[in-house]
Amino acid sequence: MVSIAMNKRYCIHNMMNKMIGYILYGFLGVFLCQIPPVFAKDYDYINISNPFLKKTPVAVTEFKASHGHAVEVKDGKTAQRILIEALDFTGYLKTMNPVSFLSNPADSGIQLGQINFRDWTGIGAELLITGEIIEAQGRVSFKLRLFDTFNTKLLVGKVYSGNRSQIRRMIHLFCAEISHALTGKWGVFNSKIVFVSTVDGKKEIFTCDFDGQNVKQITAHKSISLSPSWSSDGNWLAYVSYARGKPEIFIKNLKENRGAIIDYKGMNISPNWMPGQLKLAAALSFSGDQEIYLLTLKGEIIKRITNSWGIDVSPKFSPDGRKIAFTSKRTGTPQIHIKDMESGSVQRLTFKGANNTSPAWSPDGRNIAYVGIEDNRIDIFIVNIDKGLPVQLTMNAGDNEDPSWSSDGSLLAFSSTRDGGSPKLFVMNASGSDQRKLLSLKGRQTQPAWSVSMGSDN
Amino acid sequence: MKNSVWINLVMAILVAGLFFTVSCAKKTIVSDATTIEDQAKLEADAKAKAEAAEAMAKAKADAARIAQQNLEDQMTSERALTEAKTMAAKKRFENQDIHFEFDSSQLSSMAKMLLKEKAAWLKANPSIFVTIEGHCDERGTTEYNLALGDRRATVAKAYLVDLGVSVSRLNTISYGEEKPLDWGKTEAAYRANRRAHFVID
């Protein structure tokens, strides 16, 4: 698959703008924060971590069929549908109803200069996407463009080519470009989610695409398998399984037939990969106490990370790998703590409530999502690691557990019993808005973990 | 005359003596008959006696057999009783979970009492090896509950070791919230699920 920038000059120009944007942001960040984030600066159109984010309306127009044959037209419609669904999934874009469109670029022209932007600003479309599909002998090409309608500007122009089976992939690569142009991040479109689901009452490990599509069963231990974690290169999974009797950590390469089992005496649980390295933190109890250790890929102990009597569990590395958030009962109730790996100092993060567990570090390192129990209600909270004021993200909707951030920090996946008792997977925006079901699958789904963007040439 | 009186008297005595003698001789014969009669009677008596003795012996043997049987029955029933008691003790050891408060691995006085009973049983059955399972109710997250279950099992094991049970006979495993006894969402269900369970290996 090849992706070519359609307008080299635009790219360079845009890069300059980005640099200027960064520098300006550096100087003026304090003053700029009062200005609405959309269009606040040339580069960062949308600040996805803004909790008061208004969704930006985007018009996705019909794809022009280059030859106009039936298969091409059909694939063009499929591609447009995939594009609309992916953009709506972001939580910061809102695709518009085509009924309101005043013109059809598929007929009148899809390039800058052929588009009457007043047709789009007039109906409130801040962004416009045009597309063309060229299909011959099973090869499909797309020419895709994203325009800023108010500034009458091309933001992204890309050509993608591939087999018909790769249409979804090509559209998602374009979505990543859109995301990058608007938010500075590549987005979730090429990421996967690993999770636990029951099969005939036995917990197995599964994966699916970011949007709940392409569900695949990874394990068939017919036992209890739990707590899957991706390595940061997306090639390895670590998970807990009782396949051999007691809880052990299974390490599995997803591409080659390689792996290891960490089987110290007692429990071997809650694995988490160190960013950028093939090392992992996990809770082991061979000493008689539940402590967190840093381990090699083969399970050899590099060092002991926690050293306090009582439960220490659920380690989560900060995105820079320098700190570890974890659940500890050292103060009498389970609370989230943060350990600085270099200095060794430990700070307590959560103070509100008597039961705070399952930390999940946001990709920008600023926030930690976690699970809090109050009055028998289990909900997801988020807390800024500097300010320490928790915000409740779920409420009055069943029990909510296992928060996991998307790699761009815009979304949180979680499990919830709101839909009839059995836990199912849900997704919400990082601000807690737009809580929606990720996938409909039989059985009980828990412990989603979001991968980084995978196999993309971004 | 007087002399004749004496002769008469003597004669009378003699005759009487004669009579007596005759009577004696006759008596011998009678006596013989009697003897014969007695022999038959004796034989009958003896036979009866033998029969009686035989019956007696038989009765005695029966009684002994019955007694033996009774003894055996008693022993069997005693053995059965002992076995039943042993089984009941074993069942009780296996089925009587110890329970915990929410988010706690502290042993209650009830739990300690049950553990003392279990320690005594383990000491009386030195060939038994045991796995202690730690379980939690569904509140709390999967990983924290795995650690809490581990702690519950470990705490129960440590108490048994303190009471003199060899550490090599005790294994622990945590199931966290993965194997609830009761899937209900009531306090009673939660209480039943917060447990250490004892399994004979």
Side-chain angles (χ1 to χ4, degrees):
Chain A
M1 209 179 313
V2 199
S3 67
I4 309 156
M6 290 179 80
N7 185 337
K8 196 93 183 175
R9 210 175 133 206
Y10 159 72
C11 261
I12 293 161
H13 173 71
N14 193 32
M15 266 175 64
M16 290 298 290
N17 277 350
K18 278 179 200 171
M19 285 171 70
I20 293 162
Y22 275 130
I23 293 161
L24 273 177
Y25 195 73
F27 281 113
L28 302 174
V30 181
F31 308 101
L32 280 174
C33 63
Q34 295 305 318
I35 300 167
V38 175
F39 303 157
K41 60 193 169 67
D42 192 40
Y43 170 64
D44 199 354
Y45 274 80
I46 296 169
N47 177 5
I48 48 178
S49 49
N50 174 16
F52 307 108
L53 186 65
K54 171 180 120 1
K55 288 191 184 186
T56 305
V58 50
V60 181
T61 61
E62 186 188 319
F63 283 20
K64 179 180 166 186
S66 180
H67 303 100
H69 58 77
V71 178
E72 194 181 62
V73 171
K74 181 171 157 282
D75 286 351
K77 283 197 160 58
T78 303
Q80 189 195 5
R81 180 179 51 76
I82 293 167
L83 179 58
I84 287 169
E85 283 172 1
L87 296 179
D88 281 333
F89 192 85
T90 62
Y92 55 81
L93 295 175
K94 189 165 138 283
T95 59
M96 298 176 71
N97 188 342
V99 173
S100 63
F101 296 175
L102 302 175
S103 60
N104 184 9
D107 298 331
S108 53
I110 57 172
Q111 297 178 44
L112 200 64
Q114 299 170 326
I115 291 160
N116 181 4
F117 284 105
R118 281 193 190 152
D119 285 352
W120 302 102
T121 54
I123 60 167
E126 294 177 25
L127 298 165
L128 170 70
I129 292 172
T130 66
E132 181 177 5
I133 179 169
I134 307 116
E135 187 163 338
Q137 288 134 22
R139 287 294 285 180
V140 183
S141 292
F142 289 102
K143 288 181 184 170
L144 302 168
R145 291 175 175 84
L146 172 71
F147 300 98
D148 170 347
T149 55
F150 283 90
N151 294 311
T152 63
K153 215 171 81 177
L154 178 70
L155 295 178
V156 179
K158 288 276 177 182
V159 176
Y160 299 93
S161 294
N163 298 323
R164 286 189 69 207
S165 62
Q166 293 172 301
I167 290 174
R168 187 174 143 85
R169 177 102 178 95
M170 288 188 273
I171 296 300
H172 285 158
L173 284 171
F174 178 61
C175 290
E177 295 288 342
I178 294 173
S179 171
H180 194 249
L182 298 177
T183 70
K185 290 169 181 135
W186 295 109
V188 296
F189 309 102
N190 299 299
S191 64
K192 287 180 179 292
I193 293 169
V194 64
F195 60 98
V196 173
S197 179
T198 53
V199 178
D200 300 327
K202 309 284 186 191
K203 287 188 171 179
E204 304 283 1
I205 308 295
F206 283 71
T207 60
C208 66
D209 287 355
F210 73 99
D211 56 357
Q213 300 281 307
N214 291 331
V215 172
K216 284 188 188 122
Q217 188 174 340
I218 300 294
T219 65
H221 292 307
K222 295 185 168 62
S223 175
I224 305 166
S225 295
L226 303 165
S227 301
S229 170
W230 294 104
S231 64
S232 54
D233 63 3
N235 291 333
W236 296 83
L237 272 184
Y239 60 92
V240 173
S241 183
Y242 285 70
R244 306 196 311 174
K246 70 191 185 74
E248 298 169 332
I249 295 170
F250 286 53
I251 294 171
K252 187 182 169 74
N253 188 297
L254 290 168
K255 292 183 175 154
E256 300 158 35
N257 190 20
R258 290 166 64 197
I261 298 174
I262 301 174
D263 60 348
Y264 289 94
K265 192 170 158 285
M267 59 163 211
N268 303 261
I269 65 164
S270 66
N272 181 247
W273 294 88
M274 193 171 191
Q277 299 207 40
L278 291 179
K279 293 174 187 169
L280 45 145
L284 311 175
S285 70
F286 65 85
S287 72
D289 196 29
Q290 299 75 27
E291 299 285 352
I292 295 166
Y293 297 81
L294 185 64
L295 304 164
T296 67
L297 199 57
K298 288 179 181 165
E300 297 143 338
I301 293 171
I302 299 166
K303 68 172 175 179
R304 181 165 163 173
I305 293 170
T306 57
N307 209 329
S308 109
W309 186 248
I311 293 169
D312 290 306
V313 71
S314 298
K316 290 283 162 60
F317 280 100
S318 63
D320 62 10
R322 288 178 170 170
K323 293 174 184 170
I324 285 189
F326 60 100
T327 303
S328 180
K329 212 182 178 182
R330 62 190 63 193
T331 56
T333 56
Q335 299 292 346
I336 313 293
H337 290 67
I338 295 176
K339 173 152 186 159
D340 187 298
M341 295 288 274
E342 205 172 302
S343 73
S345 69
V346 176
Q347 282 187 316
R348 180 173 166 180
L349 178 68
T350 53
F351 291 90
K352 193 169 172 287
N355 196 307
N356 297 311
T357 61
S358 284
W361 218 307
S362 69
D364 65 7
R366 287 184 206 151
N367 298 299
I368 284 178
Y370 63 92
V371 175
I373 307 181
E374 276 178 63
D375 303 330
N376 267 357
R377 288 183 168 277
I378 306 178
D379 279 301
I380 293 169
F381 296 77
I382 187 172
V383 62
N384 182 293
I385 62 163
D386 298 321
K387 294 185 194 118
L389 292 171
V391 175
Q392 187 170 347
L393 297 186
T394 60
M395 57 188 81
N396 302 323
D399 290 340
N400 303 279
E401 293 185 29
D402 314 326
S404 172
W405 295 85
S406 62
S407 62
D408 68 347
S410 67
L411 300 168
L412 280 163
F414 61 104
S415 69
S416 178
T417 60
R418 66 186 64 184
D419 195 14
S422 286
K424 303 284 177 190
L425 297 191
F426 285 74
V427 165
M428 61 179 154
N429 298 346
S431 60
S433 62
D434 279 350
Q435 302 191 5
R436 65 251 196 214
K437 204 172 177 179
L438 180 70
L439 77 170
S440 292
L441 207 59
K442 269 203 304 188
R444 305 163 66 85
Q445 285 89 47
T446 50
Q447 296 190 299
W450 222 309
S451 80
V452 293
S453 206
M454 282 197 193
S456 120
D457 43 7
N458 296 327
Chain B
M1 235 358 245
K2 203 179 178 183
N3 221 8
S4 88
V5 168
W6 278 105
I7 287 167
N8 282 339
L9 190 64
V10 167
M11 277 305 286
I13 290 165
L14 275 172
V15 169
L18 197 65
F19 259 100
F20 190 76
T21 311
V22 168
S23 130
C24 275
K26 196 181 175 191
K27 193 168 183 187
T28 306
I29 294 159
V30 170
S31 166
D32 278 352
T34 311
T35 305
I36 290 162
E37 277 174 21
D38 282 356
Q39 192 61 39
K41 190 175 181 258
L42 273 174
E43 275 172 17
D45 279 358
K47 199 181 167 196
K49 232 184 192 167
E51 276 172 9
E54 201 177 309
M56 182 78 94
K58 192 164 173 283
K60 237 184 192 166
D62 280 358
R65 196 168 46 76
I66 289 165
Q68 178 65 25
Q69 188 65 49
N70 281 346
L71 189 66
E72 275 173 25
D73 283 358
Q74 196 185 338
M75 277 168 70
T76 308
S77 74
E78 267 173 19
R79 210 177 303 129
L81 195 68
T82 312
E83 259 171 43
K85 268 188 184 161
T86 309
M87 278 306 290
K90 189 179 171 201
K91 279 240 161 66
R92 185 167 164 77
F93 178 85
E94 289 177 296
N95 294 341
Q96 186 64 61
D97 294 344
I98 63 169
H99 291 101
F100 296 87
E101 292 301 305
F102 174 66
D103 188 30
S104 169
S105 55
Q106 277 194 348
L107 298 172
S108 65
S109 52
M110 177 66 170
K112 284 179 182 169
M113 198 194 81
L114 289 168
L115 284 170
K116 279 174 192 156
E117 194 181 292
K118 287 183 199 298
W121 187 82
L122 282 169
K123 283 189 213 163
N125 295 274
S127 61
I128 298 276
F129 286 72
V130 172
T131 297
I132 306 170
E133 299 178 354
H135 297 269
C136 304
D137 69 35
E138 61 167 35
R139 293 167 302 164
T141 46
T142 304
E143 290 175 354
Y144 180 77
N145 277 339
L146 280 175
L148 182 60
D150 193 66
R151 198 139 198 101
R152 284 174 177 165
T154 309
V155 164
K157 175 182 167 177
Y159 197 76
L160 291 176
V161 171
D162 281 351
L163 291 171
V165 180
S166 165
V167 69
S168 64
R169 296 169 60 195
L170 303 171
N171 189 23
T172 59
I173 186 168
S174 172
Y175 283 106
E177 59 179 272
E178 302 304 319
K179 288 191 166 183
L181 277 182
D182 188 334
W183 283 89
K185 290 183 180 295
T186 61
E187 277 303 325
Y190 294 152
R191 202 176 312 121
N193 292 338
R194 291 191 301 264
R195 69 204 192 274
H197 181 64
F198 298 79
V199 179
I200 293 168
D201 291 339

